[in-house]
Amino acid sequence: MKTCNFRKIFSFFRSVCYNKATSPGKETPPMPKPAITLHTPLTEFHGVGPTRAAALAKLGLHTAADLLAYFPRDYEDRTLRESIAVLPPDAPAAVSALIAEPLRTSYLRAGMEVTKGRAVDHTGQLELTFFNQSYVRRALHPGQAYVFYGQVTVHGTRRQMTNPIFEPEGKWAQIGGIVPVYPLAAGLSQNFLRTLLRTALSACLNQIEDPLPPALRAEHRLVGAQEAYRAIHCPATWADLQAARRRLMFEELFCLNLGLTYLRTRRECESALPFPNQDLSALTGSLPFQLTQAQRRAIDEAAADLRKPTPMSRLLQGDVGSGKTVVAAACALFAYQNGCQAAFMAPTELLAHQHQATLKTLLRQAGLRVALLIGSMTPAQKRQTTAALAAGEIDLVVGTHALLSEGVQFARLGLVITDEQHRFGVGQRAALAAKSGGDLHPHVLVMSATPIPRTLALMLYGDLDLSLLNELPPGRTPVETYLIHENKRPRLYNFVRKQVALGRQVYIVCPAVSQEDPDGVKAAEQYGHALQTEVFPDLRVGIVHGKQRSKEKQAVMAAFAAGDLDVLVSTTVIEVGVDVPNASLMVIENADRFGLSQLHQLRGRVGRGTHQSYCVLLSDSENPQTRQRLKTLAATTDGFALAEADLKQRGPGDFFGTRQTGLPQLRLATLEGDLTLLQEAQTAARQTIQTDPPLTRPDHQALRRRISALFQEKGEIFN
Ligand code: ADP
Ligand code: MG
């Protein structure tokens, strides 16, 4: 029995040693099964069992091609340093040195041993410390040269590395150089991913086709695709890496741009019902104010689109309070005047309610029948509304995602409006559009209060036309913003009282709903009750947050809008759209918890009437970056400037929600950071389209395939 086991163990060791001897790391990775192609599932790779396959899938990695497009998030500089004496303190570095004497292991306590040694070169000595790695005593031989890589610490003249990785000098090339660092998921190690990538690279790098034609590459000094993929994973030098990144970023931006341009072309081939009858007086006659110039221009631009038999696809961008709702109302009116229905999608029930009320008032005189459709209505109410919609007895329906549900059909849907477009996916918009039936596409107006610098907007929403409301209605006094510490709270409460005494109303926004949420921050529920009972027993305090039932929320909001509440304690449910002109003070608790654009949205809830309004940001954060961010908000009321500041500080990421727009994700390029390259790519895309509109030239075939694949979510874009 025993011999049998020993034999097994022996043969196991022999196989391990044998493998080690014949597979010297980098050059010969674990034997790939024959004929790995870009489409080979990763499960067929050596070492990928069900567990690792699942972990890889979590990262979106299923095939060899996915793997090659999985770019490192960073690199370790393991290129050799000159000598020990110049090793930089508190940074990782690689150095070649001789082991000076046998290493010694001592036992600190149970389960904790430390092995120490000394390595030297002609400039000095390096102390080596290994915890729980006593095998290094046998691996490191006195008198021999090794390369050590690790974090360097300096104490006086002594330099030290803890748990460095090392290799005999002759073998360093295999693990040295510039080493990629990949984003990981649980169950995957850096070394495993590196090996997997090396396998994929050596098996199918030469199968990668280059979407960029040679002439274009030459003109823009771009390396080839295969060269770029090799170098981004295994750069030989930093310059090598730089060239690879530039090439791949260019490719991303170029392809995105080309695709968007084709989408626009495709839309121009679609049909829509034109709205030739347009009489705005039915709306303007009932407005208590004059339209701003910007509103007039935006309405004119939309009106011109709507007269055409091709679907409008327009993005209306305007800062909070710029008056986007009136523009939407004008479009709905035009639909009505041409016998069509309009649908207005809002991101929350609260907003749907409010928009329905506003639009009903705005369009009453013109004769539109305006209805609401939201998830929290009773089945009977919903049935009634959907029946009326299908029968054409409703002219404008305002709702949430409920508008997308199956039972909803329109008699003659001609226009779709979405508010806060970044919260709706392209798919959802398409689903709504499909409800118009037949071959006709509805006109689409998307509204956004998230200001995006124009170049970026054009890049991201290149398939949309852009209208800008860059002017606030007159008579608004800018909101005064103050950043205060906790110790001013008593004075703040006095200020709240003063505003209420003047007949005004106050918002107090908290980051959390209830105290089960991360502690230390104000929670609307508890804080609201405390304010009512302890601080403002004589004032009328209401509470609203996302976890309440829809009915409850509406009741509280309605009471606040009617002036029956003095103070409204809430979460960010009031962030977008809520409109109570009498409110003049916005207090934001734990302001450091919010992003700049979000704070700006919240601030936009006040200053909507003629009263001087205030925004008070409470924060005890001492983080200099945070304070800077909050001071930026206090100093400027320009949403576009703030958006740019936010972009710089937080990066584009979810800010743009590219994922939600259904556009391809950018893996490398960051839009705001690569503006020059972006412009170069835009120009190149324009030229490509001018010279070969449908991309039929032989040298454009790979490009055509790439763009079809990138935009597959949008359907076949070349037809
Ligand atoms: P937003 O662009 O944030 O959606 P709204 O459409 O809610 O802005 O309008 C904000 C407020 O300004 C509303 O109270 C609205 O009645 C008012 N408003 C809109 N247009 C004008 C205008 N031209 N003159 C004066 N007030 C206006
Ligand atoms: Mg709005």
Side-chain angles (χ1 to χ4, degrees):
M1 274 312 223
K2 267 195 173 149
T3 29
C4 195
N5 269 341
F6 276 129
R7 190 163 293 165
K8 257 191 205 158
I9 292 168
F10 175 72
S11 72
F12 169 73
F13 270 117
R14 208 179 49 179
S15 73
V16 169
C17 296
Y18 177 78
N19 276 343
K20 261 215 172 124
T22 56
S23 58
K26 202 173 192 172
E27 303 323 326
T28 331
M31 277 312 200
K33 293 198 179 137
I36 285 185
T37 72
L38 287 169
H39 306 292
T40 302
L42 294 179
T43 44
E44 292 184 18
F45 277 60
H46 183 90
V48 182
T51 317
R52 277 179 173 158
L56 288 165
K58 268 209 186 111
L59 298 174
L61 305 178
H62 305 279
T63 64
D66 296 339
L67 203 56
L68 292 185
Y70 193 63
F71 298 141
R73 66 168 169 78
D74 203 355
Y75 298 83
E76 279 179 14
D77 186 355
R78 296 189 194 166
T79 44
L80 269 184
R81 297 306 160 99
E82 297 284 296
S83 47
I84 292 176
V86 299
L87 285 179
D90 303 319
V95 68
S96 171
L98 285 178
I99 289 291
E101 60 194 21
L103 282 76
R104 296 168 312 278
T105 298
S106 45
Y107 297 87
L108 297 181
R109 54 183 154 80
M112 174 66 94
E113 48 179 42
V114 62
T115 305
K116 290 196 174 240
R118 226 160 30 91
V120 293
D121 70 3
H122 60 286
T123 66
Q125 65 170 303
L126 178 67
E127 289 175 19
L128 304 168
T129 308
F130 298 90
F131 288 100
N132 288 342
Q133 296 182 44
S134 54
Y135 78 93
V136 299
R137 256 184 324 182
R138 290 180 302 280
L140 291 170
H141 304 289
Q144 290 194 16
Y146 299 86
V147 178
F148 298 92
Y149 173 80
Q151 182 84 6
V152 180
T153 49
V154 177
H155 312 281
T157 55
R158 287 162 43 215
R159 287 184 147 66
Q160 198 249 346
M161 272 187 193
T162 303
N163 292 340
I165 58 167
F166 60 88
E167 276 291 333
E169 198 163 56
K171 281 190 168 183
W172 181 249
Q174 292 154 22
I175 63 163
I178 302 169
V179 179
V181 179
Y182 295 97
L184 292 179
L188 296 174
S189 74
Q190 223 25 278
N191 277 333
F192 174 72
L193 266 181
R194 285 173 190 151
T195 310
L196 210 56
L197 260 143
R198 282 201 298 268
T199 311
L201 278 172
S202 63
C204 42
L205 185 64
N206 57 6
Q207 298 164 29
I208 292 181
E209 60 173 12
D210 198 331
L212 304 182
L216 183 78
R217 288 205 316 265
E219 186 185 340
H220 296 275
R221 306 169 317 282
L222 301 167
V223 298
Q226 297 184 4
E227 165 61 12
Y229 277 92
R230 181 206 53 78
I232 198 147
H233 292 293
C234 304
T237 63
W238 295 104
D240 195 25
L241 174 63
Q242 216 34 55
R245 284 183 59 88
R246 181 167 173 278
R247 138 80 209 212
L248 292 166
M249 288 195 290
F250 183 95
E251 180 182 322
E252 280 184 334
L253 297 169
F254 175 75
C255 290
L256 177 59
N257 220 294
L258 256 188
L260 288 173
T261 312
Y262 275 100
L263 281 178
R264 170 191 291 271
T265 323
R266 185 179 69 176
R267 172 163 57 80
E268 282 161 2
C269 299
E270 289 169 353
S271 317
L273 276 172
F275 299 163
N277 306 320
Q278 300 178 347
D279 176 10
L280 199 59
S281 62
L283 173 65
T284 46
S286 68
L287 288 180
F289 47 72
Q290 297 273 308
L291 293 177
T292 63
Q293 278 211 338
Q295 281 170 324
R296 280 195 184 284
R297 190 171 26 173
I299 292 174
D300 283 348
E301 286 164 353
D305 288 354
L306 294 170
R307 278 193 288 268
K308 295 184 197 153
T310 52
M312 167 169 87
S313 192
R314 186 165 283 280
L315 173 66
L316 176 63
Q317 268 207 15
D319 210 344
V320 274
S322 58
K324 293 185 288 295
T325 317
V326 180
V327 181
C331 293
L333 175 66
F334 297 152
Y336 169 73
Q337 290 169 339
N338 292 275
C340 281
Q341 293 169 301
F344 186 120
M345 284 236 284
T348 64
E349 296 207 339
L350 201 63
L351 279 177
H353 252 282
Q354 193 183 294
H355 278 310
Q356 191 249 352
T358 313
L359 290 165
K360 201 171 186 165
T361 317
L362 285 176
L363 295 166
R364 182 176 292 132
Q365 243 180 47
L368 272 77
R369 293 160 296 181
V370 182
L372 181 72
L373 186 62
I374 54 177
S376 64
M377 292 181 358
T378 66
Q381 286 172 320
K382 278 189 231 172
R383 264 198 307 277
Q384 197 187 350
T385 309
T386 47
L389 262 183
E393 293 158 2
I394 291 172
D395 305 305
L396 169 61
V397 63
V398 183
T400 52
H401 291 83
L403 287 176
L404 300 170
S405 53
E406 256 171 52
V408 181
Q409 278 302 331
F410 293 83
R412 211 165 129 90
L413 179 66
L415 170 71
V416 175
I417 301 166
T418 69
D419 195 11
E420 290 312 307
Q421 89 104 29
H422 57 285
R423 301 197 187 183
F424 282 112
V426 167
Q428 291 168 323
R429 234 157 50 210
L432 197 49
K435 292 179 181 294
S436 61
D439 285 341
L440 292 177
H441 294 256
H443 298 283
V444 175
L445 178 73
V446 296
M447 306 200 289
S448 173
T450 311
I452 300 172
R454 192 178 170 88
T455 37
L456 303 189
L458 285 179
M459 184 69 193
L460 276 173
Y461 306 112
D463 57 334
L464 304 182
D465 296 304
L466 192 62
S467 285
L468 219 54
L469 291 187
N470 52 0
E471 174 190 4
L472 292 184
R476 302 267 173 88
T477 11
V479 179
E480 285 178 23
T481 307
Y482 301 95
L483 173 59
I484 65 167
H485 273 285
E486 200 53 36
N487 58 13
K488 296 267 173 60
R489 188 175 285 282
R491 281 181 60 184
L492 172 65
Y493 288 154
N494 279 337
F495 189 58
V496 170
R497 276 182 188 290
K498 233 190 238 159
Q499 288 296 306
V500 174
L502 287 170
R504 301 288 86 74
Q505 288 164 285
V506 179
Y507 292 103
I508 300 182
V509 175
C510 310
V513 170
S514 66
Q515 218 58 8
E516 305 126 41
D517 289 312
D519 49 350
V521 304
K522 286 271 187 285
E525 232 163 47
Q526 282 84 351
Y527 185 46
H529 283 125
L531 280 179
Q532 175 72 90
T533 51
E534 290 154 32
V535 187
F536 302 125
D538 50 330
L539 304 186
R540 298 162 302 174
V541 179
I543 299 172
V544 69
H545 57 72
K547 288 195 186 153
Q548 283 166 335
R549 288 218 312 259
S550 191
K551 279 248 155 52
E552 210 176 332
K553 268 187 277 189
Q554 282 151 37
V556 179
M557 284 312 299
F560 190 69
D564 295 338
L565 291 172
D566 304 308
V567 177
L568 184 63
V569 183
S570 80
T571 54
T572 52
V573 287
I574 60 145
E575 179 185 340
V576 279
V578 171
D579 186 25
V580 180
N582 188 49
S584 63
L585 172 58
M586 164 65 65
V587 177
I588 304 176
E589 300 278 351
N590 308 102
D592 43 278
R593 298 293 176 118
F594 302 94
L596 263 186
S597 291
Q598 201 176 17
L599 289 169
H600 181 62
Q601 288 284 335
L602 286 169
R603 178 169 61 182
R605 298 308 109 217
V606 295
R608 302 173 83 82
T610 47
H611 318 288
Q612 174 59 55
S613 297
Y614 308 88
C615 174
V616 178
L617 310 169
L618 273 149
S619 170
D620 263 357
S621 165
E622 293 301 341
N623 180 327
Q625 263 176 325
T626 305
R627 294 209 80 79
Q628 188 48 50
R629 200 157 53 90
L630 297 177
K631 279 184 191 152
T632 311
L633 184 83
T636 169
T637 52
D638 179 348
F640 281 85
L642 286 172
E644 279 182 47
D646 213 9
L647 203 62
K648 281 204 193 98
Q649 287 171 6
R650 300 198 307 170
D654 278 346
F655 184 88
F656 285 124
T658 37
R659 210 184 304 270
Q660 286 160 23
T661 62
L663 296 176
Q665 281 283 89
L666 295 173
R667 290 168 188 275
L668 284 174
T670 57
L671 293 181
E672 93 284 10
D674 305 300
L675 264 184
T676 335
L677 197 64
L678 170 63
Q679 277 154 6
E680 210 175 321
Q682 264 171 328
T683 315
R686 214 167 24 241
Q687 280 165 0
T688 305
I689 289 161
Q690 275 162 6
T691 52
D692 179 24
L695 292 188
T696 45
R697 249 166 47 189
D699 64 332
H700 281 159
Q701 289 318 294
L703 180 58
R704 190 184 158 104
R705 277 191 293 275
R706 165 63 56 86
I707 288 172
S708 294
L710 274 178
F711 283 81
Q712 58 191 358
E713 223 184 287
K714 300 252 192 182
E716 179 51 58
I717 75 173
F718 301 104
N719 46 19

